Structures are given as C-alpha cells and as structure tokens.
Amino acid sequence: MIRLDKTPVEKWVTNTQLTQFMSIGELAHKQLWDMNVHKGSKGWLHWPAEDHHRLMQQMEAIAQRFRAISDVTVVIGIGGSYLGARAALSMMQSNFASEADQMRVLFAGNQLSESYIGDLLSILDEHEVTVVVISKSGGTLEPSAAFHTLRDYLEKRYGKGAAERICAVTDPESGTLRQFAGDRGYVTLPIPRDIGGRYSVLTAVGLLPMMIAGLPVNEVMAGAAEAYDELRQQTILENPAYVYAMIRHFLYLQGFAAEALVTYEPQAAHFAGWWQQLFGESQGKDGIGLFPTMLQYTTDLHSMGQYVQDARKMLLETVLDVHFTDTAHSITLPGELDEKSNYMSGKSFSELQQVAVASVIKAHTDAGVPNLLLHAEGNRPRLFGELVYFFEIACSFGGYLLGINGFDQPGVEAYKQEMRRRLV
Ligand code: PA5
C-alpha cells in the first residue's frame, strides 16, 4: 500500500492551489489514458491487467534451465535494460545476497570499465555460467561490447554448448541482436515494441532476471495489478500518483531545480536509481525538468545532509518510507548502553528509523527544503510491483503536465554518435 502524506509540503503547495490546477490535471489524465496520444509508447499502461501466461511459461522454462546448468547468470544491459532488474533484486534479496544465495545474478554491460569486465572474467572460471543479454535496439554500445566479450568466453569454454547458455531479450522482430540470436540459435524473449526501456521492468527485461534469481514474479505482477486497479479509478485529487506529480510540478514552477528520492532502507537504494532514470530520461528535455537525484539516509545525512540543510535552496525531497512486512527482523537495543547512548536503550532499530524520518523532515522543512512523504508498506515483491507502476503513472502524468513527450530520449544519442564518429 502506498500512501502520500503531503502535510510537510503544505507551506509550499496548498490544497487550494491543487484544486485550482484541476483542469490541467484533468487534461493530463485524459492524455495519459488516451492510447492515441503518444501512440506506440504506452504498452506498459495496461500491461499489469493483461494476460502474460505464455510469457511467464517461457520465462520459467528458461529460468529453470539456467538454474540447472549454472550457478552464475550474467545479465547484460544498460539504462532501462538493467536498472529495473537491479532494483528488483536488491529490494527482494537479503542485504547480503551475494554471499547467501546459491544462484548469483551479476550485471555487466552497464559501463565500459576494463577493470570491471576483467574482474568478472577472472571469477567466472570458478562457476558454471549462463548469460542473459538485454537490449531493445540490439545495438547499444556498452552491452554489445560486454556481450561479445562474454559470448567469446563462453564459446572458448563450452564450444558448441555455448549457445544453450545464452538468452537474448530484444525487439520481437528487428535489430542486430535479434538477427545474431537467430543465426546462432539462442533462445529469445521479446521486448514489446510499444514499451520503452525505462518502462520495461515488468516485461521479460526485469522479470527474467528476477525468475533466475528465484524471486516470486507472480507476486510482483500482482502488486502492479493492484496499483493499476487503484490508480486507474481514482479521481485526480484522490490519486496519490497524480498528486505527487502535481506537487513536484508546482515546486518546479516555483524555481526548485532538483528532486531527491530519499530512502532509508539500503534495499531500496537501487530502486531510487531506477526512479532516477525514469524521471531523468522522461522529463529532462527541451531545457526543462527537475534534476532527479537520490539520497540514502541516514548514511548521507553525514555527508550531503550538510548541503541539504544549509546550502542553496534548490532541492526538494521525496521521502520514500518503505516498510517491508516480509522481513521478520525485530532487533532491539540492549537495556544498558553507555552513558551517552542510554536514551536509546530498549528501542528497536525501526523506532530509531521512524524518529529519524520525522526529525529530518522537520529539520529540513524548517530550513526551507520542501518535503513530501510516501509511505509504502507490504511484502517486498508486491510492493516492488506496486511502486514501479505508481511511479510510471506519476512520471508519465507529470510529462503531460510539462507538455513534453515523456517517452523518447533524443538527448542520449549525442554522445553515442560522437563515440561512433571517433571509433569508426
Ligand atoms: O529507457 C530507455 O529507453 C533507455 O535507457 C534504454 O533502455 C537504454 O538506452 C538501453 O537501450 P537498449 O535496450 O536498446 O540497449
């Protein structure tokens, strides 16, 4: 369940202002749900309500086979073809997953570090390895470089058997990767044409790595379906995703330049990375848009906290206060601590964290930093699905408020073209 608490932001954005904004909100709502507006880019919108039985079966078969023949799967992809899976695994696995889990999912192809790929190759010999390469266009430079390096490694190590260790997730019909996979006989899964990278986590792009890691994807989809049912039906001012989008839009119009998604759970930190890409690529264009950034509290209170409290007031904070109901920990501090720390004795870490959330919001809002609070509670797979869909709705609705195309990313091309020019 996701609940928006806008009390801390009310001195910047009032209920009256939100009500006056209704007609613009109504228009954005209509544009969002009209499949003819940005036709071909909104396959994700009704996705949670559609039947994915066949896809689920295909993925399950691949995941089971990969788990049977390997103990490490390298998932290759960048941007929307990577951040969602990383966020999902990090939220749903233990904080110390890599040491605890038998099946390890490692990521590659999301940068060009020789040291990273070198370290990766140097540990693979100790494992049985499979590879999932994810690229919608099929020709993105970073994943392409990593894929061909790992493919070459697999071919040298497993010979003809390499092909059965590779799965390509890509455009259903076209692109270099689709063609290459066909030629080599790899198993493939489609990325629907009308779902862009940053909206694709609930397709095979995110679900296959989750399945390989043994995570309950049905629960993830159930969470997304729950959010779909809820958000689709609510009126503008009762829809927390819309209200969140309208408040951050208002603050942007008031001159705030950046929004930090603040998380207190390390397991939600990568989710903030996914959120950052969603908003950055969707809304940062035509010379406008809030700069999305992320802060991991209380850790960053001892570094960036100083800046947030005392420096230029250009930042707003959206606090994503997550409560996982499926992690069974209850850890209370001992009755007797040292003289200075005794005021914490007998308190649980959760209590301390909740006091931190409230105290930081008070300190920052008093200093002129608008804060919005999103409470999110549930078991992690369901909550993950719910959060994904919640922010997808908020982001696309916000794109309509800004009057931009929230589904393209023309700015990403410039560096790629320059690299190609230098390398060809
Ligand atoms: O959201 C997007 O569309 C991008 O971030 C892409 O996901 C990213 O550039 C990777 O593209 P591709 O999947 O084509 O390799």
Side-chain angles (χ1 to χ4, degrees), residues 7 12 47 58 61 74 86 103 128 143 159 166 173 208 257 279 298 383 397 400 408 424:
T7 329
W12 288 273
W47 182 261
Q58 283 176 305
V74 183
R86 188 185 65 163
M103 183 71 198
E128 289 302 324
I166 298 173
E173 282 156 35
L208 180 65
F279 281 82
T298 60
L383 195 56
F397 176 82
Y400 289 116
D408 63 0
V424 169

Side-chain angles (χ1 to χ4, degrees), residues 77-83 134-141 143 169 191 195-200 205 277 281 407-409 412-413 416:
I78 195 166
S81 290
Y82 142 74
L83 289 159
I134 307 174
S135 176
K136 188 170 182 203
S137 60
T140 309
L141 189 139
V169 182
I191 307 176
I195 302 187
R198 56 191 175 275
Y199 282 86
S200 69
V205 170
Q277 188 223 3
E281 271 196 351
F407 305 104
D408 63 0
Q409 57 284 332
V412 179
E413 289 311 309
K416 292 190 200 164

Side-chain angles (χ1 to χ4, degrees), residues 75-82 108-110 131-148 167-181 188-193 195-198 200 203-206 208-209 416 420:
V75 173
I76 299 171
I78 195 166
S81 290
Y82 142 74
N110 50 59
V131 165
V132 176
V133 54
I134 307 174
S135 176
K136 188 170 182 203
S137 60
T140 309
L141 189 139
E142 295 89 340
S144 215
F147 168 60
H148 287 295
C167 171
V169 182
T170 188
D171 184 276
E173 282 156 35
S174 61
T176 326
L177 181 59
R178 166 64 53 188
Q179 169 126 32
F180 194 84
T188 61
L189 289 168
I191 307 176
R193 285 240 155 125
I195 302 187
R198 56 191 175 275
S200 69
T203 71
V205 170
L208 180 65
K416 292 190 200 164
R420 249 177 248 126

Side-chain angles (χ1 to χ4, degrees), residues 24 120 186 417:
I24 295 169
L120 178 63
Y186 303 154
Q417 279 163 14

Side-chain angles (χ1 to χ4, degrees), residues 26 69 79 156 178 195 201 203 255 262 269 285 291 293 356 381:
E26 289 284 2
I69 61 172
K156 286 188 176 123
R178 166 64 53 188
I195 302 187
V201 54
T203 71
V262 173
K285 51 191 63 156
F291 179 79
T293 184

